[in-house]
Amino acid sequence: DAKTTQPPSMDCAEGRAANLPCNHSTISGNEYVYWYRQIHSQGPQYIIHGLKNNETNEMASLIITEDRKSSTLILPHATLRDTAVYYCIALNTGGFKTIFGAGTRLFVKA
Amino acid sequence: EPEVTQTPSHQVTQMGQEVILRCVPISNHLYFYWYRQILGQKVEFLVSFYNNEISEKSEIFDDQFSVERPDGSNFTLKIRSTKLEDSAMYFCASKKLAGASTDTQYFGPGTRLTVL
């Protein structure tokens, strides 16, 4: 699975969009970009994933560049409850395990 | 919405004792996993399980660890003789199958294991 690079921390004002970047320049054609988050010590929570096209669900949007070397997770209206560690993972669809990095610690401030 | 459940939420044990951590994966899922997270550190893969056998295991998953699916709904992690360094959050996860966009692992809330 490709290595991903994320900033260690970010701040966002409550009600504003949070844009979390991820670099995955070595991603291969059969690897999806997955995003999870972990609120405090809870279990990682699935957010969204995509292969080539931009994706949107009730939680977030995922924008993947055309060359697939980077992506951005967008939380359109961040709330205090979105304060968490966000993990960007490049995952082979046949892969059995998920390798977590250090992620980005997002602080949403009132 | 179906979810992975884990029991107990917190387990305290004495060093050298055996512990069994229990998980109920999502009912139609076929792949099962255990991960752990030592306080302040990354989430680490321990083992994956499919078709009643281990698919892959990490270096952490040594002879002290074992997994079992004793019936159609439970998935357990046993630590035979606990050490202080086994203190961590243990997360169970499951996924439906491999391939395409359905390859999403869903995680349980975790069991906090404290070894004294």
Side-chain angles (χ1 to χ4, degrees):
Chain A
D1 295 329
K3 179 178 167 57
T4 61
T5 305
Q6 299 178 251
S9 67
M10 294 181 65
D11 290 346
C12 178
E14 188 178 22
R16 304 297 293 269
N19 297 285
L20 291 93
C22 179
N23 182 289
H24 33 79
S25 58
T26 61
I27 196 168
S28 62
N30 63 348
E31 287 180 320
Y32 282 73
V33 179
Y34 272 77
W35 284 83
Y36 284 84
R37 73 180 182 184
Q38 189 175 26
I39 297 172
H40 196 47
S41 295
Q42 298 176 25
Q45 178 189 22
Y46 166 74
I47 301 173
I48 199 167
H49 72 282
L51 183 63
K52 287 189 281 193
N53 300 320
N54 298 337
E55 302 287 344
T56 295
N57 63 20
E58 64 278 3
M59 287 183 69
S61 295
L62 174 60
I63 309 297
I64 302 174
T65 58
E66 197 169 332
D67 63 8
R68 301 209 327 121
K69 292 186 176 182
S70 66
S71 60
T72 301
L73 178 75
I74 301 172
L75 307 179
H77 306 287
T79 70
L80 298 178
R81 288 178 303 214
D82 292 322
T83 292
V85 179
Y86 287 77
Y87 301 100
C88 169
I89 300 162
L91 187 60
N92 185 299
T93 56
F96 286 107
K97 64 189 179 192
T98 300
I99 304 295
F100 287 86
T104 295
R105 187 171 293 276
L106 176 69
F107 296 95
V108 180
K109 300 182 176 181
Chain B
E1 185 176 316
E3 56 185 24
V4 177
T5 60
Q6 292 185 241
T7 54
S9 57
H10 190 189
Q11 174 90 48
V12 181
T13 189
Q14 295 290 326
M15 189 169 55
Q17 295 296 304
E18 174 183 287
V19 295
I20 297 175
L21 310 183
R22 291 183 166 78
C23 168
V24 178
I26 296 173
S27 64
N28 61 349
H29 284 192
L30 300 178
Y31 292 85
F32 315 114
Y33 307 81
W34 284 101
Y35 293 79
R36 80 170 186 191
Q37 186 175 33
I38 295 170
L39 186 63
Q41 298 186 22
K42 298 177 187 178
V43 178
E44 301 174 288
F45 168 78
L46 290 178
V47 66
S48 60
F49 191 86
Y50 170 69
N51 201 26
N52 279 321
E53 61 182 24
I54 291 173
S55 307
E56 188 174 0
K57 60 183 181 179
S58 71
E59 291 175 355
I60 304 167
F61 194 88
D62 61 23
D63 292 343
Q64 292 297 314
F65 292 89
S66 62
V67 289
E68 191 179 28
R69 186 150 163 85
D71 54 42
S73 58
N74 290 284
F75 180 52
T76 63
L77 174 70
K78 182 193 290 187
I79 308 175
R80 239 179 294 282
S81 177
T82 51
K83 303 189 273 282
L84 295 176
E85 54 264 37
D86 294 327
S87 294
M89 285 290 291
Y90 287 81
F91 298 110
C92 174
S94 69
K95 73 176 184 182
K96 189 181 286 189
L97 46 79
S101 60
T102 55
D103 193 54
T104 299
Q105 289 185 29
Y106 293 93
F107 287 77
T111 292
R112 180 176 298 283
L113 177 65
T114 301
V115 182
L116 303 176

